Each structure stands twice: as C-alpha cells, then as structure tokens.
C-alpha cells in the first residue's frame, strides 16, 4: 500500500485576495500550519476562485492574476508542490458538479441562517448595494465550500480558532447526503490550530485584506517600514520613558510572533520606559524584512516564470482531479444516476 493510501486526507484553501499577495495574518495564522501538516496528510491545497465570484462578480479581471499570486505565496512560504497538490479550484470541474448535487439536498433555511451570509448581506446593504446584488451563488457559498471538501473525501480541514463554526454546515450537508444515499463521505473534522494567535493589523483590529491594515508578502522593504511607522502603539506612551503596555501595542504583538525567543526583553524594556516606540518599530522593521526577504524573492521568481507556475498548477489539478473524479463516480452511483 502506498503512503498516500494510508494517510488521512486534508483539504485547505484560500480565496484570491483583491490585492494579490497574502498578508502576514494569512501566513502566520494559516499557511504556517499547512506547511507543518503537509508531511502528515495527503494534502489538497487550492485557491478558490469561484468563491471570489460570490461577491466580486462585477470585477472579474483581477481574479485569475490574484490566484497565481496566492499560489506563488503558498509555495514561497513552504508548501511543496511535490508533497501536496496545489491548484486552482475552477481547474477541477468536479467541484462544480458536486456543488450542484449538494445544492439539491441542502435546505434553504440552513443557508439563510449562516451568520457569514447574513453579515455579507448587511455589508452590501450598508454599501448601498440593493438586495439584487445578493446572488444565489452567495447564498450557496457553504454548499460550494462543502463540495470543495467532500470532493476529496477529506478527513480534516485546518481552520483558525474563530472559524470552527464555519465547517458545521458542511458536516450537516455531509451527514444528510450519507443518510439519503449511503455513506460515501467521511465526516470532515476541523483541525483547529490552537497555537496561532489572531494577528492584529496596524490599527489594532484583526489584520485583514478588508481593513487596509496589513503587511503583504509582496511589500517592498520600504513599504514595510512605512506601514510599521503608522502602526498603533501604547496610546499613553508619548515619550520613551513613559511605561508601555506591550499587550495592547501592535508593534509589540508582532514582535512576539516574529521573535518568539527574544521578544521578552524588548517587552520589559518597553514596560519600564527603557525603550521607546521608535526603537521598537525600527527593530520590528528589520525583523519583518529579514523574515519576508526569502518569501519575496521566491514569489517574484515564480511569478516571473509563468510556464513553471503553470506546470505546477496543471500538475496539481491533475492530481486533484484523479481523486475528485473517483468521488463523483461514487456519488453518481449512490444517487443511481449512473
Ligand atoms: P481576510 O480576513 O484578510 O479576508 P481570510 O478570511 O481570507 O482573510 O483568511 C484566510 C486564512 O487566513 C484563514 O485561514 C484565516 O484564519 C487566516 N487569517 C486571516 N487573517 C488572519 C489574522 N489576522 N490572524 C491570523 N490568521 C488570519
């Protein structure tokens, strides 16, 4: 029996972002863990471009280039295309076929009650977009997410601490399918990354592409310095000698994540007034730039060689399709359609 047959399967994925590159929150909060998991699991790692259409259907031209950037970031950060299948969701049409079949058995009420659907709907209303921009596809987002997972009969899905609930509807859809047609799918389990803290952005909120508060893998050394210059620190620390509160300072929080061995001294000095925010920012800029330098270099290499990246993505999609088409065979058999 080959190793891949004995290992459990894992599915992970991210949406292409508006900006292209991933941010430090994505790298530290998700990818770092994926890189660790690639040796343990048979791993399928996709960039979910169809999901981007649920809200960005009116600006589609940026989606394909952004997908390539996300794939390049996966690899630059340490995912190994030899160990895991790295691919673009829309290159494996079986996701769509399974999505359609699952949409037939998913009760409307389940989808309408999903909190992220309600939030997105409200956000669109706030932006002055009428209910006509809330599409059938947006409502069906959890069905597509479920198809992404089940099409590989994945056993586990890695998620952040705040996202465990996102998988609940997928598990329910999975149970409903198995109840109606027989046990085709293993029920996917969440693999919660307890270690990863939610990384704050420059303004103290969660770092997110939606808030303009992030440092990106593609940022130049100068851009990183500029972003850190603008980051929130202890609001009552106006002078170097004023006591800092590292727990409430974005720069100190980042230091803790990117300098886990050495941050304590800097925190104590910040607290006691021996060091000021300028020094903290200067040192953090150096730390982040040396952390990002190899990632920047590798992603730039990959993006400047489109043929090589294409080869990786075609290969990833082929490997994904091999499993996905077998799943659809089992599914169609269970339904009695074939
Ligand atoms: P964003 O909030 O920028 O839209 P996504 O929701 O697309 O990011 O998240 C993609 C992945 O990155 C998820 O696994 C999520 O848990 C992780 N992630 C996103 N932002 C952060 C953050 N600030 N800290 C830790 N992990 C994060």
């Amino acid at each position: 029996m080959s190793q891949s047959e004995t290992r459990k399967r894992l599915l992970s994925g991210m949406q292409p972002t508006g900006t292209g590159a991933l941010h430090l929150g994505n790298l530290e909060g998700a990818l770092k863990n994926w890189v660790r998991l690639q040796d343990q699991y048979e791993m399928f790692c996709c960039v979910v471009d169809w999901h981007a259409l649920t809200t960005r259907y009116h600006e589609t031209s940026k989606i394909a280039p952004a997908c390539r950037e996300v794939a390049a970031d996966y690899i630059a950060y340490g995912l190994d295309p030899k160990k895991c299948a790295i691919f673009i969701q829309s290159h494996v049409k079986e996701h769509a076929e399974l999505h359609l079949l699952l949409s037939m058995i998913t009760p409307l009420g389940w989808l309408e009650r999903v909190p992220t659907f309600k939030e997105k709907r409200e956000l669109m209303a706030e932006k002055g977009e009428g209910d006509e921009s809330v599409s059938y596809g947006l409502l069906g987002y959890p069905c597509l997410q479920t198809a992404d997972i089940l099409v590989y009969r994945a056993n586990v899905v890695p998620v952040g601490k705040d996202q465990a609930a996102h998988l609940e509807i997928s598990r329910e859809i999975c149970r409903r399918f198995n109840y109606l047609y027989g046990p085709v799918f293993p029920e996917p389990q969440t693999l919660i990354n307890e270690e990863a803290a939610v990384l704050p952005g420059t303004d103290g909120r969660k770092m997110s592409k939606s808030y303009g508060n992030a440092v990106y893998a593609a940022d130049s050394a100068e851009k990183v310095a500029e972003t850190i210059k603008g980051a929130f620190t202890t609001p009552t620390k106006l002078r170097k000698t004023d006591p800092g509160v590292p727990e409430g300072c974005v720069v100190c929080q980042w230091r803790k994540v990117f300098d886990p061995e050495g941050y304590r001294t800097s925190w104590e000095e910040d607290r006691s007034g021996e060091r000021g925010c300028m020094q903290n920012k200067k040192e953090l800029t150096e730390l982040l730039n040396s952390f990002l330098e190899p990632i920047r270099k590798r992603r730039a290499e990959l993006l400047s060689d489109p043929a090589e990246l294409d080869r990786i993505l075609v290969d990833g999609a082929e490997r994904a399709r091999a499993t996905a088409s077998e799943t659809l065979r089992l599914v169609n058999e269970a339904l009695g359609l074939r």
Side-chain angles (χ1 to χ4, degrees):
M1 197 181 268
S2 77
Q3 201 191 3
S4 70
E5 284 170 82
T6 60
R7 281 183 304 169
K8 286 191 168 176
R9 284 205 193 118
L10 179 150
L11 179 280
S12 58
M14 277 196 223
Q15 263 199 46
T17 69
T19 45
L22 295 180
H23 58 64
L24 289 177
N26 301 137
L27 298 181
E28 281 300 298
L31 260 179
K32 190 179 185 177
N33 194 34
W34 300 2
V35 170
R36 274 197 294 251
L37 296 167
Q38 66 183 338
D39 291 313
Q40 250 171 290
Y41 290 91
E42 183 188 356
M43 191 151 158
F44 295 88
C45 210
C46 56
V47 186
V48 290
D49 53 348
W50 279 331
H51 282 276
L53 293 175
T54 58
T55 49
R56 284 159 56 198
Y57 57 86
H58 47 287
E59 41 163 7
T60 53
S61 65
K62 290 191 185 138
I63 293 178
C67 283
R68 300 178 69 82
E69 287 208 44
V70 174
D73 282 341
Y74 284 178
I75 300 163
Y77 201 67
L79 281 184
D80 180 349
K82 291 196 194 76
K83 291 183 184 167
C84 66
I86 297 173
F87 60 99
I88 311 287
Q89 178 192 34
S90 68
H91 295 182
V92 184
K93 306 286 184 238
E94 283 78 1
H95 288 242
E97 185 178 349
L98 186 57
H99 166 245
L100 176 118
L101 296 172
L102 296 178
S103 76
M104 302 298 173
I105 64 159
T106 304
L108 190 54
W110 289 7
L111 296 171
E112 283 170 335
R113 279 195 295 273
V114 169
T116 43
F117 171 66
K118 288 199 222 160
E119 279 159 27
K120 280 184 187 158
R121 188 177 202 170
E122 279 161 19
L123 204 70
M124 285 169 129
E126 271 171 34
K127 282 201 267 175
E129 294 175 37
D131 235 11
E132 70 274 13
S133 21
V134 178
S135 68
Y136 169 56
L138 181 64
L139 179 71
Y141 188 110
C143 258
L144 184 56
Q145 173 194 284
T146 306
D148 298 336
I149 300 166
L150 298 188
V151 83
Y152 300 105
R153 283 164 285 146
N155 306 94
V156 292
V157 180
V159 295
K161 266 185 240 172
D162 51 334
Q163 294 178 314
H166 290 192
L167 212 69
E168 206 37 56
I169 186 159
S170 295
R171 288 152 55 84
E172 280 172 18
I173 296 172
C174 171
R175 284 196 284 268
R176 189 162 163 89
F177 183 98
N178 286 345
Y179 168 77
L180 288 168
Y181 308 111
V184 172
F185 301 112
E187 202 173 300
Q189 307 296 318
T190 50
L191 196 66
I192 297 177
N193 184 4
E194 296 289 350
E195 264 174 54
V198 172
L199 198 71
T202 50
D203 56 1
R205 292 187 289 175
K206 175 190 147 179
M207 185 180 284
S208 170
K209 57 181 176 280
S210 323
Y211 299 150
N213 63 359
V215 170
Y216 289 94
D219 286 351
S220 65
E222 295 71 33
K223 174 84 177 128
V224 170
E226 193 188 308
T227 308
I228 292 175
K229 227 177 243 171
F232 283 19
T233 53
T234 307
T236 50
K237 188 175 169 74
L238 303 175
R239 279 175 237 94
K240 173 181 162 183
T241 47
D242 292 335
V245 184
E247 291 79 4
C249 163
V250 167
V251 176
C252 293
Q253 289 301 318
W254 288 2
R255 173 85 182 235
K256 184 178 175 190
V257 173
F258 293 97
D259 181 19
E261 307 296 325
Y263 80 94
R264 282 194 184 84
T265 316
S266 70
W267 274 36
E268 288 325 310
E269 290 174 0
D270 180 78
R271 232 190 277 280
S272 64
E274 283 165 81
R275 66 157 60 218
C277 301
M278 292 284 280
Q279 188 185 349
N280 275 339
K281 287 185 172 178
K282 186 171 164 287
E283 289 176 8
L284 179 70
T285 302
E286 284 162 13
L287 265 169
L288 282 190
N289 275 329
S290 51
F291 168 78
L292 284 173
E293 191 44 37
I295 300 172
R296 267 184 213 130
K297 198 162 161 263
R298 182 75 183 111
R299 80 189 304 283
E301 275 167 14
L302 283 157
L303 292 167
S304 67
D305 186 356
E308 168 65 4
L309 192 54
D310 277 343
R311 196 190 55 70
I312 292 171
L313 294 173
V314 166
D315 177 62
E318 266 171 22
R319 278 151 62 193
R321 203 174 297 119
T323 302
S325 59
E326 173 62 8
T327 302
L328 263 304
R329 192 186 64 73
L330 295 170
V331 164
N332 281 302
E333 235 171 50
L335 263 73
L337 292 175
R338 271 181 221 151

